[in-house]
Amino acid sequence: MRRSVAQARQTRAEIIERSLVLASVAGLDGLTIGRLAADLGMSKSGVLGHFGSKEALQVAVVEAAADLFDREVPGRARGADPGLPRLVALCAAWVDYHEHPPLPGGCLFTAAASEFDDREGPVRDTLAALAGVWLRDLRQHVRLAIGAGDLPANSDPDQILFELTGHILALHSALRLNRDPTAPDRARRAIARLLGSDT
């Protein structure tokens, strides 16, 4: 019994891992049970049996992408002091994540946000909730930086977050659509100006 449970968990993890790769290139809607089954040497019912529906698989993939992002971005900045040093480290890791993405299609979140922003349902809800957590964490360090005098006292944290997000979206577009190799350095300079740092 224990072995069968462990095998089921391992198979589920393999499905999600393959789905991450496929979804990063083809989008979450581009995930097809048939393609996954063929790639993994499984039946379609075998793949679906681990999730119950394609939508549940998509949610699981989004959650796995969040774990990957957490390792690659916040995880790399955790040694920096709270406030501006952590904010600068987070932004540097965020740019690096787009410049050297761990998935072949780049940032799954950025692509999926465009794919699901006008839809209702659990996939959009999961994307929005995870984005909210990320922005909440960034906002905390912006506020700490303002409190410490590292950013001007009249700074608007939400405006700073809006501009940071805009720089990252511009970076994503320049890299993925325009294949612009200068984009990461442009993003770093833009963020450094915004934060008044030497990023």
Side-chain angles (χ1 to χ4, degrees), residues 119-142:
R119 306 189 199 181
E120 297 301 326
V123 178
R124 183 192 185 281
D125 292 347
T126 302
L127 285 163
L130 291 167
V133 169
W134 170 237
L135 291 175
R136 180 202 66 198
D137 291 347
L138 288 175
R139 187 178 291 105
Q140 175 189 6
H141 293 291
V142 170

Side-chain angles (χ1 to χ4, degrees), residues 166-180:
H167 292 325
I168 295 297
L169 289 173
L171 169 62
H172 177 84
S173 178
L175 282 173
R176 307 310 302 180
L177 185 61
N178 302 326
R179 306 282 195 259
D180 180 2

Side-chain angles (χ1 to χ4, degrees), residues 17 20 56-58 84 90 98 101 105 119 134 146 157 170 185 190 197:
E17 184 178 349
L20 272 171
L57 169 63
Q58 290 171 327
L84 186 62
L90 285 167
H98 283 270
R119 306 189 199 181
W134 170 237
I146 294 168
D185 285 340
S197 67

